[in-house]
Amino acid sequence: CTVTAQVDFTNCHFTARGTAPLRLVDCSSSANGTFRFFDCRVIGLSSTASGYNGYMDFKTGSTLVFDRCRFEGNSNDGYGVINTGGAAATFTDCVFLRNSVANPIQGKGVACVYGTNARFSRCRFLSNKATNATAGISQFQVMQDCLVLSNTVTRTGTGTDEVNLLTMGATSSSRLLRTTIAGNVIERNQPDLAAGTTVWSYIISPASAQNNDAYRAYVNLTIAKNRVEATLAEGVTHEVATLVWGGTSNRTAFGGAVNCTFYDNDVTAEIVDRASSKSIDIYLFNCICWNDRADYRPLWSHTPGETRGFRLYDCILKNYSADTEKIYAAEGVSAEDPMLK
């Protein structure tokens, strides 16, 4: 379609099943208009066609608005329910429930939304599943007041792609605010990977090609009981973390977590810095990092480079170990770990 004005969909209900590609909206080739969806339902759509970009496919230049919409029980072999592309997309009070994607295009599938400029407010992502995929939700600029519960991302075969539950956008405006992320699972069933291979699995990660001087803000989050399960060959290195700062493109990044709770996530390190040859500053203010497992784990680890500082202020820690040479400031910290006292 070619749209230069505004198109509204109100109280629409889309439901169908089949194997042929079904596009509710296909403006992937030419569109610079505004599409607004109010109180719409997209229920039980199914397609096994290859090379599929989702039931709604948009192009950079469009403006998208989704208010009080429900996406439930949809499945396909492409980019989930919606491919927003580079369109400016806003989702408010929407629900994504039990959607799935399998064998996606180039292994880049997402269960719900794929794009580079999406914003979510008061949305719920519940029990969605992405198989042979690299992201559950990718890539968003802002997510606030949302629930992300009991979603699953799996990876099989021999691909070494980074696997994330949530992938933040590549610009300096990325924010994750007042959101609960709990009970989600990343599964890597890759016993045929060659020894010496390194793979990465993160609950929350920035886009790998993030912009220089990108600032990541995490405020009032509860990140609890997420886990990563892996079946890998001996000799394969698996880096697992709740949060990762810094991309793989030698970028500079700054970030802060404020009033956040990290509780009993099954990871090898809570926070990882991957800025391999650039500087990075990370701050934790008034955070609770609580590990109920018997084993101590790093609160923070990083790839050797020009890392400037990891700083803690007014935090409570339980069962974390850390190299004190990497802690550049620690004020008002209560910790059971003697290395941090």
Side-chain angles (χ1 to χ4, degrees):
C1 65
T2 300
V3 176
T4 58
Q6 178 174 295
V7 179
D8 287 353
F9 300 81
T10 303
N11 291 318
C12 296
H13 188 177
F14 304 98
T15 180
R17 289 190 178 276
T19 57
L22 170 65
R23 293 275 167 76
L24 303 180
V25 179
D26 184 359
C27 286
S28 57
S29 59
S30 177
N32 58 2
T34 297
F35 301 83
R36 304 194 305 175
F37 297 81
F38 302 101
D39 301 293
C40 291
R41 302 291 183 266
V42 181
I43 308 292
L45 302 183
S46 177
S47 176
T48 57
S50 61
Y52 194 50
N53 282 353
Y55 295 109
M56 296 183 179
D57 194 3
F58 300 94
K59 185 184 179 183
T60 299
S62 303
T63 298
L64 314 178
V65 175
F66 295 87
D67 280 359
R68 302 176 305 279
C69 294
R70 186 179 186 90
F71 306 90
E72 181 178 350
N74 303 289
S75 63
N76 67 59
D77 286 0
Y79 284 134
V81 179
I82 303 171
N83 177 22
T84 63
T90 301
F91 297 81
T92 305
D93 295 312
C94 292
V95 176
F96 293 84
L97 175 64
R98 293 192 298 274
N99 300 289
S100 63
V101 58
N103 304 312
I105 305 167
Q106 300 177 350
K108 303 291 185 181
V110 298
C112 300
V113 179
Y114 179 85
T116 59
N117 197 23
R119 295 170 178 261
F120 299 95
S121 180
R122 299 190 303 274
C123 293
R124 289 174 287 170
F125 300 89
L126 311 172
S127 301
N128 301 287
K129 185 173 183 178
T131 303
N132 269 354
T134 56
I137 304 167
S138 176
Q139 302 168 16
F140 63 90
Q141 297 301 326
V142 177
M143 180 178 288
Q144 59 186 10
D145 303 300
C146 292
L147 291 175
V148 183
L149 306 177
S150 302
N151 301 282
T152 302
V153 183
T154 68
R155 191 72 169 100
T156 61
T158 58
T160 59
D161 305 87
E162 181 180 304
V163 176
N164 309 314
L165 175 73
L166 302 179
T167 303
M168 299 181 74
T171 71
S172 59
S173 62
S174 297
R175 303 288 186 268
L176 186 53
L177 314 171
R178 301 181 303 276
T179 290
T180 296
I181 303 164
N184 303 285
V185 180
I186 294 176
E187 300 173 345
R188 296 197 83 123
N189 184 16
Q190 298 180 283
D192 296 326
L193 287 176
T197 300
T198 299
V199 293
W200 304 268
S201 300
Y202 303 125
I203 303 302
I204 304 167
S205 176
S208 59
Q210 66 183 33
N211 291 348
N212 283 324
D213 298 322
Y215 184 90
R216 302 281 176 250
Y218 304 93
V219 181
N220 292 337
L221 304 180
T222 298
I223 307 174
K225 289 191 172 297
N226 301 286
R227 68 182 192 275
V228 178
E229 301 175 349
T231 301
L232 302 172
E234 185 176 351
V236 174
T237 300
H238 188 198
E239 182 177 277
V240 182
T242 302
L243 290 180
V244 58
W245 259 282
T248 56
S249 301
N250 298 335
R251 302 291 183 170
T252 303
F254 305 88
V258 181
N259 299 333
C260 293
T261 297
F262 302 87
Y263 174 68
D264 205 25
N265 296 293
D266 186 7
V267 293
T268 53
E270 209 72 62
I271 299 170
V272 168
D273 159 18
R274 290 188 64 194
S276 57
S277 65
K278 293 291 183 178
S279 301
I280 188 167
D281 273 331
I282 300 173
Y283 299 82
L284 295 189
F285 294 93
N286 196 33
C287 290
I288 298 173
C289 302
W290 199 270
N291 170 24
D292 262 347
R293 301 176 187 278
D295 59 316
Y296 279 53
R297 68 183 59 167
L299 175 64
W300 176 55
S301 66
H302 75 97
T303 301
E306 302 171 8
T307 303
R308 284 204 299 260
F310 182 66
R311 308 165 191 271
L312 306 174
Y313 300 95
D314 298 321
C315 295
I316 298 174
L317 312 179
K318 179 183 178 182
N319 285 0
Y320 285 96
S321 62
D323 184 343
T324 54
E325 293 181 358
K326 299 175 184 177
I327 305 297
Y328 282 68
E331 300 178 6
V333 176
S334 173
E336 291 187 6
D337 186 347
M339 295 182 69
L340 292 175
K341 286 186 178 179

